[in-house]
Amino acid sequence: MSAAQDDHRPEAGTDPRAPRRRDAAGTRQLLLESARDLFATNGYRATTVRDISEAAGVNVALINRYFTSKVGLFQACLSGAVNELGAVPRNISLEQISSRITAQLAGVDKARHPHQLLLLLRTSGDEQAEEIRLGILHSFAERLASAAGWEPEDPDSDRMLLHAQVALSAALGISLLRASTGLEPLASAGEQELAEPFHRLITALLSRT
Amino acid sequence: MSAAQDDHRPEAGTDPRAPRRRDAAGTRQLLLESARDLFATNGYRATTVRDISEAAGVNVALINRYFTSKVGLFQACLSGAVNELGAVPRNISLEQISSRITAQLAGVDKARHPHQLLLLLRTSGDEQAEEIRLGILHSFAERLASAAGWEPEDPDSDRMLLHAQVALSAALGISLLRASTGLEPLASAGEQELAEPFHRLITALLSRT
DNA sequence: GCCGTAAGTAAACAACTGCTGACTTGCCTC
DNA sequence: GAGGCAAGTCAGCAGTTGTTTACTTACGGC
């Protein structure tokens, strides 16, 4: 487990029957993390608020207190995900971005945030949440495209953006298939094995011709 | 929703209040098709048996009569999908298979079976259904690999299979993103626009080096 | 030390889910 | 035309879901 998060977890080693320490920000964070993992892993509908609250070791009613509703919590998860996944330097090379995505796919820091990417494939049916999701996906694709030298006023802008979105689709597809099936050898391929085909894919789609 | 679905629907233009024509095989088929569309479009959990029966214009109880349970119906959908998607000639070229997949992605016969591929990304939680799904995915990947000249005893068999599975992931990812978001230009790209990047992708991953 | 506020709890709600059993009705055979 | 049987209907069950409400309790300022 990561230290950074556990700081918020109220007294990790205490007797669970002891009355809970009061820390609004902490419990909020706890709920957010549990929800993100469960939503990503099992999807929105398959995840119940009781699952989440139980995983966080927190009362169910607090979900509605802090996030208004289940979809409110889901929206918060999405908005939070962009912050962590989004820390990408401005002028990154295609090689670098390919390696980064591969690392995410391989689940390097799986312990902390399992399948963070998967959250972007989960649908809630809520319109507002869908917009957030779409926004994240769009900006991801744009960043991918710009790493390939794309610029907004490019004459065949659409083509490059399309290619980037195809590459993004591939990454997400891999992520989903690895997580939700035992499809071998894909499911248990390490970062090394994954890097080669994925780098090929990126190069084929995005390198300047 | 699509009005006319199939030849199997008993007397399409009749007064709906009139007593239903009795045709067990027909109703079964009707349920299968409605279920396949809804499962593919909205996922397993988000689709209720009442949704399905309503879409099929059939009584809810018949789902349990003909398919035992909701997951039974889902399994039947999966098993059925392999038959239709699986009609691929033995020695097909890489180019041909690429075109076929592109056609599926573009939704050429969307009217009949929207997003057939999506069904392969839907999880029910049921172990038996997961096995069916896994089996289909695996055989798809193998067919893709063998179109690239792969043979089971190949020395680096795993590597080729992995590449094929990555390609398959890409196809499924594209399908999912097109269906579940308005991500442009990907979402409304035609068969032409899709063919180019996807063919690149296939070639990069699967062409003999 | 007291006390108000905010954090956390418990129980129950209404709606929805998959499923079942007893019932009705149309079709085919004799 | 009568009767048997399969196809289809109906109402309701038991469990789950998200959410709310009224309650209890810890913490910090006075």
Side-chain angles (χ1 to χ4, degrees):
Chain A
M1 284 291 172
S2 78
Q5 287 169 40
D6 285 354
D7 291 342
H8 277 291
R9 171 168 268 137
E11 20 187 333
T14 324
D15 179 5
R17 291 176 311 174
R20 170 158 294 285
R21 179 95 155 280
R22 302 199 163 189
D23 173 10
T27 11
R28 222 189 103 99
Q29 189 63 21
L30 229 44
L31 280 171
L32 216 47
E33 287 166 16
S34 302
R36 195 156 56 199
D37 292 356
L38 288 171
F39 282 146
T41 307
N42 304 324
Y44 180 79
R45 299 295 289 245
T47 302
T48 74
V49 290
R50 286 176 174 85
D51 288 342
I52 297 168
S53 67
E54 196 172 332
V58 150
N59 192 284
V60 205
L62 296 180
I63 287 179
N64 298 93
R65 181 197 282 279
Y66 292 133
F67 301 96
T68 311
S69 66
K70 187 189 177 186
V71 307
L73 176 51
F74 183 66
Q75 288 176 24
C77 288
L78 282 174
S79 304
V82 71
N83 292 336
E84 308 202 16
L85 285 169
V88 176
R90 209 71 186 103
N91 280 339
I92 191 172
S93 77
L94 212 58
E95 301 245 340
Q96 287 171 311
I97 215 170
S98 168
S99 304
R100 284 202 180 214
I101 298 176
T102 309
Q104 266 287 337
L105 288 179
V108 169
D109 57 353
K110 200 182 224 168
R112 248 201 295 176
H113 305 301
H115 338 292
Q116 188 88 281
L117 282 177
L118 281 185
L119 207 58
L120 302 180
L121 289 178
R122 303 308 189 177
T123 64
S124 65
D126 178 72
E127 200 171 322
Q128 202 176 335
E130 288 299 279
E131 253 169 60
I132 298 175
R133 197 166 72 95
L134 180 58
I136 299 176
L137 287 169
H138 203 87
S139 82
F140 264 47
E142 275 187 354
R143 232 175 307 175
L144 208 53
S146 74
W150 171 79
E151 284 171 25
E153 318 86 9
D154 220 307
D156 60 351
S157 189
D158 261 23
R159 203 186 77 102
M160 292 207 64
L161 210 52
L162 178 65
H163 280 222
Q165 291 176 355
V166 168
L168 181 58
S169 302
L172 294 172
I174 293 170
S175 182
L176 185 56
L177 239 53
R178 274 171 64 92
S180 81
T181 56
L183 188 65
E184 298 297 353
L186 180 65
S188 48
E191 190 172 359
Q192 295 290 342
E193 291 106 312
L194 237 56
E196 193 249 329
F198 190 72
H199 188 66
R200 270 190 195 228
L201 188 153
I202 290 283
T203 307
L205 283 173
L206 294 178
S207 71
R208 293 188 95 50
T209 39
Chain B
M1 289 295 154
S2 67
Q5 288 190 8
D6 205 301
D7 307 334
H8 276 291
R9 165 167 267 143
E11 23 186 331
T14 324
D15 179 6
R17 290 177 312 172
R20 170 159 294 285
R21 179 95 153 279
R22 302 202 162 189
D23 172 10
T27 352
R28 222 189 103 99
Q29 189 64 20
L30 229 45
L31 280 171
L32 258 175
E33 287 166 15
S34 301
R36 197 156 55 198
D37 292 356
L38 288 171
F39 282 147
T41 307
N42 304 324
Y44 179 81
R45 299 293 290 245
T47 302
T48 74
V49 291
R50 285 177 173 85
D51 287 342
I52 298 168
S53 67
E54 196 172 333
V58 149
N59 192 283
V60 204
L62 297 181
I63 288 179
N64 298 95
R65 182 198 280 280
Y66 292 133
F67 301 97
T68 311
S69 65
K70 187 189 177 186
V71 306
L73 175 52
F74 183 65
Q75 287 175 24
C77 288
L78 283 174
S79 304
V82 70
N83 291 335
E84 308 201 16
L85 286 170
V88 176
R90 208 71 187 105
N91 281 339
I92 190 173
S93 78
L94 212 56
E95 302 245 340
Q96 287 172 312
I97 214 169
S98 168
S99 304
R100 286 204 178 212
I101 297 176
T102 309
Q104 265 288 336
L105 288 180
V108 169
D109 56 352
K110 200 183 224 169
R112 247 201 299 173
H113 304 301
H115 338 291
Q116 189 89 280
L117 281 176
L118 280 185
L119 207 59
L120 301 179
L121 289 178
R122 301 310 188 176
T123 63
S124 66
D126 178 71
E127 201 172 322
Q128 202 176 335
E130 287 300 278
E131 253 170 58
I132 298 175
R133 196 166 74 95
L134 180 57
I136 299 176
L137 287 169
H138 203 87
S139 82
F140 264 48
E142 276 187 353
R143 233 176 306 175
L144 209 54
S146 75
W150 171 78
E151 283 172 25
E153 318 86 9
D154 220 306
D156 62 349
S157 189
D158 260 23
R159 202 185 78 102
M160 293 207 63
L161 209 53
L162 178 65
H163 280 222
Q165 291 177 355
V166 167
L168 181 59
S169 302
L172 294 171
I174 293 170
S175 181
L176 185 57
L177 238 54
R178 275 171 64 93
S180 81
T181 57
L183 188 64
E184 297 297 353
L186 180 65
S188 49
E191 190 172 359
Q192 295 291 343
E193 292 107 311
L194 259 123
E196 193 249 329
F198 191 70
H199 189 67
R200 270 190 195 227
L201 188 153
I202 290 282
T203 307
L205 284 173
L206 293 177
S207 70
R208 293 188 92 52
T209 41

